[in-house]
Amino acid sequence: MTSIGQRAFWQCELESFAVPGSITTIGDFAFSGSRIRSGKMPESLASIGRLAFQECGALASVELPASVTSIGGGAFSGCKNLKEITVVPENGKYCSSEGVLYTKDMTELIQAPAGKMDFTAMPSSVTSIGEYAFSNCMYLTSVELPSSVRSIGINAFWSCRGLVSVIFPSSLAEIGNCAFSGCWNLESIDLPNSVTSIGKGAFYSCQHLKSVKLPNAITSIAEETFYWCDDLTSIIIPSSVTSIGDRAFEKCLALSSVEIPSSVVSIGKWAFDNCNGLVTVEIPKSVESIGDWAFGACFGLTAFAVDPENAYYTSIDGVLYNKDVTTLIQWPLKKNTEVRIPASVTTIGLGAFQSCDFLTSFDVPVTVTTIGEEAFSGCYYLTSVSIPASVKTIGVGAFRYCSQLGTAVICSSSSPDRVSPSADGRSLNARNDETAEIGDNAFEGCRKLESVVIGPNVKSIGQSAFTECGLVSITCEALVPPVAAEYTFDAIAYETAVLTVPGQSYDSYRSADVWKNFINTTAGIDETEMDIPVDDKAEYFDLQGQRVGPDHKGIVI
């Protein structure tokens, strides 16, 4: 045997293991998470894989022989009882100093033992901090990087929860992905202007980070860079930045001030989601793209202000729209005023009103054709909604967990005057001659919804569309049973709920997937009395050839 394969003893209860003298390779994650105590390596060993001994909590010391020529990133990271790593002097590739592992020329610090209690200054020869180099070093409280350091590797200081301060040298150019992720007690960051690249999640979950000075040479703030930095109150984004990545500042709960410079072209998905301290947001003329939910769940937000010269977006009364005002992108969640939507709007965007606490009722304008994903989800106090016949698509989770929703009306003609909410306030009228699709999870969790009427033109109903609703009565006017997903009506009592369908389609429903599960199916709809679409330019005739009006009862041609 010459090698120990990847994950060979991963998370095993193994406490001791004599590595055979024939072994030349230990694979990635080979002993990761095991209880191995001894780290003496055989003279034959040449290669140790990435994270090979990661989080071996009982491992106290490691001695590397002269034969080792390759050590993967984080090979000994997170070993909380590891006090020192030693290398025999004859090794031509690696060396150790005060228990810390370096390359032979001491230009790269490869691994500091996680259990080391005393840290001295790094040698001035060090130019790079390796991958996982200080990961989980529980006793590390402060770091002063020497003026020679140019790069900090991926996860280099990951989860150093005692780390309070870091002094960055003016030589530093690059900070790797998640380099300081999980450094809960890190309080401030002052990055020199020499830094040109900051990796994804570099300061993820630095929960007590209060102040940040970013360098003026970076062109982007990568995704999740400051995700979940609870105590961060303000940030000045340099004028060199052109893009703000997905989730870059998500869950910065205390963030109350951010100035987006006129250099920024794109703002990513969820970029400022859950930034509850934000009150106003100014969008400069340079912005061409704003990702979905970029400012979602900002419960303190009262208004957007878009530069009039912006060619892609505009704001009206503090509400964010696309430039031609056909899509309502985001309603500020603390804008507690009557909802007035311009007649030009055809789309209510993804999450546009999500978790809007003040919203109690809503009449969708007759110009709207699309209600986007999660558009009204989590609107806890929404008790009624009127959706006109113009709406063709109700997106995934559009009204999910509107738990107080008792009246939702999708009318059967284009005239809102024909909307008649139920007297008991616990019904949904989906008689919509235009609607073709009700999306996945559309009304999931609307527990007070007891009856639903689904219109004649509905062709499909998505997965879990009515899951966890209180439905006891379902009327479907479609002559051809809509395609329903397996869990469309999940958690509804098929034994007691009453399904009412057109008489001529009774047998079709009794044999159709999902619909056949209803025990109480009745043929209670006279298709000759169904509403028909009104066309102002059309002429209508009865079976005797006499011209009649579009509201004539019976069969018309």
Side-chain angles (χ1 to χ4, degrees), residues 479-539:
L479 294 178
V480 177
V483 176
E486 181 181 2
Y487 298 108
T488 290
F489 298 103
D490 192 35
I492 289 175
Y494 285 111
E495 299 82 5
T496 57
V498 177
L499 172 63
T500 305
V501 301
Q504 71 186 70
S505 303
Y506 177 83
D507 290 338
S508 297
Y509 278 88
R510 293 300 299 139
S511 61
D513 287 344
V514 180
W515 300 103
K516 66 184 179 182
N517 296 335
F518 288 93
I519 304 302
N520 300 314
T521 302
T522 63
I525 302 173
D526 182 353
E527 60 273 14
T528 64
E529 294 184 359
M530 288 183 189
D531 292 335
I532 60 174
V534 177
D535 186 340
D536 293 337
K537 297 180 180 179
E539 294 183 332

Side-chain angles (χ1 to χ4, degrees), residues 316-552:
I316 300 174
D317 294 331
V319 181
L320 182 63
Y321 299 88
N322 64 344
K323 189 65 175 181
D324 59 5
V325 198
T326 57
T327 299
L328 191 159
I329 297 170
Q330 184 73 60
W331 182 279
L333 293 184
K334 205 172 182 181
K335 180 180 170 62
N336 190 0
T337 62
E338 181 182 356
V339 177
R340 294 176 181 268
I341 298 177
S344 56
V345 171
T346 60
T347 298
I348 296 176
L350 279 68
F353 290 89
Q354 187 176 31
S355 301
C356 197
D357 285 346
F358 83 91
L359 198 62
T360 58
S361 64
F362 188 76
D363 291 343
V364 179
V366 295
T367 55
V368 172
T369 60
T370 301
I371 298 175
E373 294 181 20
E374 308 282 351
F376 295 90
S377 69
C379 290
Y380 180 82
Y381 296 102
L382 185 64
T383 58
S384 66
V385 61
S386 172
I387 303 173
S390 58
V391 174
K392 295 179 175 61
T393 301
I394 299 173
V396 172
F399 295 91
R400 189 193 332 232
Y401 299 122
C402 293
S403 56
Q404 300 298 312
L405 186 62
T407 302
V409 179
I410 305 177
C411 58
S412 58
S413 78
S414 60
S415 170
D417 294 338
R418 299 184 64 181
V419 174
S420 300
S422 64
D424 61 7
R426 295 193 173 191
S427 68
L428 165 68
N429 184 343
R431 300 177 62 209
N432 181 355
D433 296 317
E434 300 293 332
T435 296
E437 175 185 353
I438 298 175
D440 295 348
N441 312 95
F443 294 91
E444 179 184 4
C446 295
R447 298 179 183 275
K448 290 193 175 181
L449 208 52
E450 294 185 350
S451 67
V452 59
V453 179
I454 300 169
N457 265 25
V458 173
K459 300 297 189 298
S460 66
I461 306 175
Q463 197 73 268
S464 301
F466 295 99
T467 290
E468 296 182 15
C469 291
L471 289 175
V472 295
S473 173
I474 300 163
T475 299
C476 191
E477 297 179 339
L479 294 178
V480 177
V483 176
E486 181 181 2
Y487 298 108
T488 290
F489 298 103
D490 192 35
I492 289 175
Y494 285 111
E495 299 82 5
T496 57
V498 177
L499 172 63
T500 305
V501 301
Q504 71 186 70
S505 303
Y506 177 83
D507 290 338
S508 297
Y509 278 88
R510 293 300 299 139
S511 61
D513 287 344
V514 180
W515 300 103
K516 66 184 179 182
N517 296 335
F518 288 93
I519 304 302
N520 300 314
T521 302
T522 63
I525 302 173
D526 182 353
E527 60 273 14
T528 64
E529 294 184 359
M530 288 183 189
D531 292 335
I532 60 174
V534 177
D535 186 340
D536 293 337
K537 297 180 180 179
E539 294 183 332
Y540 298 86
F541 299 86
D542 64 16
L543 293 180
Q544 285 72 46
Q546 299 296 313
R547 181 180 284 107
V548 296
D551 57 351
H552 177 76

